Amino acid sequence: MKLSKNTKDVIKVLLLLGVAVQFANYALELLNKLPSYPMDTLVKIIVCSIVAGVVGYVVSLVLWDK
């Protein structure tokens, strides 16, 4: 079965999002083990966003053709 380029790109994006969310969730679990501090929620959101962005960027470099 031959898939179109658009279908392959959609599959890659879904895979990328899944991996990025898993790593962000892992970072959140690690942050939850730390003691509570001021602006705790904001820092967690920023750190998880950075982790998801970096992982998504690396996975997109691996998956997409040049």
Side-chain angles (χ1 to χ4, degrees):
M1 183 169 100
K2 184 147 173 97
L3 298 174
S4 70
K5 182 165 175 21
N6 288 342
T7 306
K8 289 178 185 176
D9 285 345
V10 168
I11 292 171
K12 288 177 185 178
V13 166
L14 292 175
L15 178 65
L16 185 148
L17 286 174
V19 170
V21 167
Q22 287 296 333
F23 273 91
N25 189 31
Y26 180 67
L28 181 62
E29 291 298 321
L30 290 177
L31 287 172
N32 282 335
K33 292 182 180 180
L34 295 175
S36 190
Y37 48 89
M39 295 180 61
D40 187 25
T41 305
L42 182 63
V43 171
K44 287 180 182 178
I45 291 170
I46 291 171
V47 169
C48 290
S49 298
I50 290 171
V51 167
V54 169
V55 169
Y57 177 71
V58 170
V59 171
S60 69
L61 288 178
V62 170
L63 288 180
W64 262 266
D65 300 331
K66 304 292 183 251

